[in-house]
Structure formats: C-alpha cells, structure tokens
Amino acid sequence: MAIPITMENISEIGKIVRFHRNAAGLSRIDLADIAGVGKTVIYDIEHGKRTVQLNTLFHLLSALNIRISFEGPIMHQYESQKDEKD
Amino acid sequence: MAIPITMENISEIGKIVRFHRNAAGLSRIDLADIAGVGKTVIYDIEHGKRTVQLNTLFHLLSALNIRISFEGPIMHQYESQKDEKD
DNA sequence: CGTTTTTTACCGCTATGACGGTAAAAAACG
DNA sequence: CGTTTTTTACCGTCATAGCGGTAAAAAACG
C-alpha cells in the first residue's frame, strides 16, 4: 500500500501524520519529543501546511515508521548510472 | 524503479534532480523558470541541502516528472478509514 | 586560442518557518 | 458534574530559506 502525493494533495500528508500519530497513541508533544522537532510544526502539518521543511518532515515520518520513495520514467537510467565506476 | 529516500540519504534527492535536469537538457535557470522557483534553491538542493521546503521541492519534481509516494505498515488502515462515510 | 555566450557559484536582503509559551478546549477522573 | 489532567490552538520572536544580482568558470563558437 503506497500513497502517491502530488502537488494538489500535499495536505494529505497532514492527515497521514495525524492518523499515524493517533494510531500510536501519541500526543503532539509526545511525537515532537520522539522526532526531535517542535510541537507547533506538527500542528501546522496536520493543518495542511505546504511549506514545511524536508528534514523536519523526515524526522516525523521516520518516527512514525513511514517511508518515502521517488519514481519516474527515467529513474532506472539514474540508478544504473550511479553504479558506474572509473 | 522506485528510489527510497531516508533521513541519511536526503542528499540523494539533489543527485536525482541534477540527473533529471541534465537529462532534459536544462540549465538551472531553465528549470527554475519552468518550475516557478528561484535558481538558487536548485543549486542548494543539488548540493545536498536538507532544509528545502516541501512545496518548493514538489514544484521541481513535478517539472521533472518525478512522483513521490508514502509507504508504511498501517497505511492500508489509513486508506480504508478514508473511504468510510456516515 | 581569443571572444562571445552560457552556465554555475556565491553574496546580502527580506519574508517567513520553527520554536517555546500560554490560553482555550477536551478528556479523565472521583 | 466540579476538579484535575491532558491535549490542542494560537501568539510573538528569532533564525534562516528563497530570492535576484553578479562574479567566476565552462562551453561554444569563428
């Protein structure tokens, strides 16, 4: 089960965070402490903020055991190019 | 082909952006104009900046035809809960 | 290879994201 | 239900992300 996030539904991230936080039985302060971020930014994200910083979001998602991946038509070219040595 | 991004390899995003930009034959200014962001933030991202804002990154990824998705052990619970009406 | 054109690297400035503090609201008791 | 405890909502402040301008470097010519 992977949920695609597009430009239009960025605010879905907030719903995902809230759901996972509640499922884990955590208050915003709990999660903030675990993730090492401020409580305010969790409030902001859960309310659909689009301007969160990437590292902040990653701290949260990591604490909630959510993983991110990038996909695209030429991503395999990137991958194979990475392995090239010399 | 999906590339997982974790906290430790956030800077991989910069490499992905640069590869896609070059593959499209775009300068930073070209891409900046297309994506509707400043050229500086592209430079920053390609140099591994971890504090980019989410909407800025999404503008770039969208212009480069890269998609993002979230995964996790209880994501299906979230999905089915979303469909519940009444 | 000197000149022109394009691209990249880096600067200072300004708008704003992340923060802790606190009031308001909601939940959990006896 | 009145009281205590927990959670959420919303401020004011400060550090900094994103911006355009420009110098430095690289590429593309004749």
Side-chain angles (χ1 to χ4, degrees):
Chain A
M1 175 66 48
I3 303 210
I5 305 291
T6 66
M7 198 105 80
E8 301 83 40
N9 75 340
I10 285 192
S11 61
E12 180 107 11
I13 294 175
K15 296 175 188 170
I16 294 174
V17 166
R18 168 169 266 160
F19 177 85
H20 280 71
R21 177 171 67 79
N22 286 333
L26 298 171
S27 72
R28 292 199 186 123
I29 293 181
D30 293 334
L31 178 56
D33 289 345
I34 293 170
V37 301
K39 56 189 160 51
T40 309
V41 77
I42 301 179
Y43 171 82
D44 290 339
I45 290 172
E46 292 186 356
H47 283 258
K49 185 182 214 180
R50 304 166 72 87
T51 51
V52 206
Q53 292 180 21
L54 201 62
N55 60 342
T56 302
L57 182 64
F58 267 80
H59 277 101
L60 282 176
L61 297 182
S62 168
L64 294 171
N65 201 23
I66 299 171
R67 267 159 292 104
I68 300 183
S69 62
F70 285 23
E71 279 183 273
I74 64 167
M75 204 60 84
H76 62 285
Q77 288 179 27
Y78 169 76
E79 259 294 348
S80 58
Q81 197 240 26
K82 249 198 345 180
D83 301 337
E84 285 168 20
K85 317 279 174 186
D86 73 287
Chain B
M1 175 64 49
I3 303 212
I5 306 290
T6 65
M7 197 107 78
E8 301 83 40
N9 75 340
I10 284 191
S11 61
E12 180 107 11
I13 294 175
K15 297 175 187 168
I16 294 174
V17 166
R18 166 170 268 161
F19 177 85
H20 280 72
R21 177 172 68 80
N22 287 333
L26 299 171
S27 71
R28 293 201 184 121
I29 292 181
D30 294 334
L31 178 56
D33 289 345
I34 294 171
V37 302
K39 57 190 160 50
T40 309
V41 77
I42 300 178
Y43 170 82
D44 289 339
I45 290 173
E46 291 187 357
H47 283 259
K49 185 181 213 180
R50 304 167 73 87
T51 51
V52 206
Q53 293 180 23
L54 202 62
N55 60 343
T56 302
L57 182 63
F58 267 80
H59 277 102
L60 283 176
L61 298 182
S62 167
L64 293 171
N65 200 24
I66 300 171
R67 269 158 290 103
I68 300 182
S69 62
F70 285 23
E71 278 184 274
I74 64 168
M75 205 60 86
H76 61 285
Q77 289 179 27
Y78 169 76
E79 259 294 349
S80 58
Q81 195 240 30
K82 251 201 340 182
D83 302 336
E84 285 170 18
K85 317 278 175 189
D86 74 286

